[in-house]
Amino acid sequence: MQVNANSGQIMARVKRGGPTLGGVAAEAGVSVATVSRVLTGHSAISEETRERVLSTADRLGYVHVPQRVRRHQTSLSEQISLVVPVATAHGSQLANPFELALIGGVGTALRERRRDVSIVWQTPYDDATLAQFLDQSAYAGTIFLGQSQFHDTLNRYATMGKPLVAWGVEVAGQSYCSIGSDNHEGGFQATAHLLRKGRRRIAFIGAMPPIPAARTPFSQIAIRLDGYRAALAAHDVPFDPDMVQTPTAGQFEGAEAVDNLLERGIAFDAIVAASDLVALGAIQTLRQRGIRVPDDVAVIGYDDIDAAALSTPGLTTIRQDVIKAGNLLVAKLLRIIDGHRAKSERLPTNLMIRESCGR
């Protein structure tokens, strides 16, 4: 539409019912989509076009543009940000299957409360980068999926009143709220079940080496290992450090650990894995080596991701309730945002018995 030919019609509409997006677009000589982007503060607009649209909207009396732009700029103050701190390789997925399920639990809880969530692109890796993120953040509050290397900074900012919660462990002197499963009980349950089934040479896979920059004395996996050791002691089975495998091959750590045990001639009749992915990798390698699961080696995982029930054999595992976890993370954070204190909380774990360790 030509502006000159239709300016009378446009002004007539303005006088009768107020200006429209289409009217502003026609008068400024741009598309309706461009006007919408300008009014919502979209960055992919040139300054010349932005100024032309804003001045046109002002001249036509279109809904006090500065307020509309300001509402968009302050909209972050009503949103929750979710940070997945561990950086992933280029082209890989955002998080592992359990973390993705936990993100879904957080999303469900926020949707029920009619709140928006943004998964931020930043991946803080030390105190300085985390502090920079928190200093610049305009979000109402932040949920962290992981904490060990950020404990000191999280404590400091929580003390300063920054609304934040974390998925992870709880340690002495912790000022911020953390939600996590009872990792000690989970490790104990898995190991005790295998011991009751008559297994005595039980390997633990997934006790990753400490993070160099860690600020908490324990990780979730380390606490699961403590539960494993407690179950052995409760059944009078000596702890053998050779049975604890600390692989470093990422998604292939289960396979690497099994290969290491076999190549070193270490006898084992069961595996407690620190995650379902580790367990599934171990099962695959056992089968490739001609070792039957569960007849020769029983396997238990941790997390109860969807693939656990669909694997062959079905994977016995420790279930973490991601829906309840997501709801707690959100509920605690919103309570902090409202100016109240929120206590850390541990979620119960459940043993899901399937074919990988015999029924």
Side-chain angles (χ1 to χ4, degrees), residues 62-109:
Y62 186 80
V63 189
H64 192 40
V65 173
Q67 288 185 356
R68 295 173 62 86
V69 175
R70 200 177 305 122
R71 279 202 299 272
H72 174 74
Q73 292 172 338
T74 60
S75 63
L76 290 183
S77 65
E78 300 175 359
Q79 293 185 29
I80 303 301
S81 66
L82 193 149
V83 180
V84 185
V86 179
T88 55
H90 179 71
S92 61
Q93 64 179 10
L94 174 70
N96 65 45
F98 172 74
E99 290 169 337
L100 291 174
L102 185 55
I103 291 171
V106 170
T108 296

Side-chain angles (χ1 to χ4, degrees), residues 33-42 45 49-51 53-54 69:
T34 296
V35 174
S36 178
R37 292 189 183 101
V38 169
L39 297 180
T40 56
H42 199 287
I45 300 292
T49 300
R50 187 185 310 279
E51 287 301 319
V53 170
L54 291 177
V69 175

Side-chain angles (χ1 to χ4, degrees), residues 53-302:
V53 170
L54 291 177
S55 62
T56 301
D58 275 340
R59 178 164 50 81
L60 296 179
Y62 186 80
V63 189
H64 192 40
V65 173
Q67 288 185 356
R68 295 173 62 86
V69 175
R70 200 177 305 122
R71 279 202 299 272
H72 174 74
Q73 292 172 338
T74 60
S75 63
L76 290 183
S77 65
E78 300 175 359
Q79 293 185 29
I80 303 301
S81 66
L82 193 149
V83 180
V84 185
V86 179
T88 55
H90 179 71
S92 61
Q93 64 179 10
L94 174 70
N96 65 45
F98 172 74
E99 290 169 337
L100 291 174
L102 185 55
I103 291 171
V106 170
T108 296
L110 286 166
R111 182 175 61 186
E112 290 174 350
R113 292 165 173 81
R114 304 179 68 84
R115 297 292 292 263
D116 290 334
V117 61
S118 294
I119 301 176
V120 301
W121 63 267
Q122 292 99 326
T123 53
Y125 55 87
D126 59 13
D127 288 335
T129 54
L130 176 60
Q132 182 180 31
F133 167 76
L134 290 173
D135 284 336
Q136 297 175 353
S137 174
Y139 292 97
T142 303
I143 297 173
F144 290 88
L145 300 190
Q147 84 197 98
S148 61
Q149 63 267 54
F150 307 117
H151 177 70
D152 290 348
T153 302
L154 291 175
N155 252 0
R156 179 158 57 91
Y157 277 83
T159 302
M160 292 164 54
K162 195 77 170 179
L164 56 88
V165 297
W167 171 260
V169 304
E170 180 181 12
V171 297
Q174 182 170 306
S175 300
Y176 58 92
C177 174
S178 67
I179 304 298
S181 68
D182 188 337
N183 288 286
H184 187 278
E185 179 62 19
F188 187 99
Q189 284 177 311
T191 310
H193 179 71
L194 291 170
L195 290 164
R196 288 193 297 269
K197 301 291 289 186
R199 311 287 173 152
R200 288 297 180 270
R201 295 288 297 169
I202 304 172
F204 184 95
I205 299 176
M208 302 301 292
I211 300 171
R215 298 293 188 269
T216 53
F218 302 107
S219 68
Q220 295 186 81
I221 293 177
I223 297 175
R224 292 170 197 173
L225 176 59
D226 285 344
Y228 158 88
R229 296 186 63 166
L232 292 177
H235 288 77
D236 297 320
V237 176
F239 170 72
D240 181 355
D242 285 339
M243 302 298 284
V244 177
Q245 296 295 300
T246 58
T248 58
Q251 62 180 316
F252 303 108
E253 60 194 60
E256 178 189 311
V258 169
D259 283 338
N260 187 52
L261 288 167
L262 295 174
E263 290 166 6
R264 294 173 59 195
I266 299 174
F268 62 102
D269 58 12
I271 292 173
V272 171
S275 75
D276 289 343
L277 281 184
V278 172
L280 294 172
I283 289 174
Q284 183 180 44
T285 299
L286 289 168
R287 294 175 65 179
Q288 290 171 349
R289 294 291 195 104
I291 300 172
R292 299 170 300 170
V293 177
D295 304 72
D296 302 321
V297 175
V299 180
I300 294 184
Y302 206 106

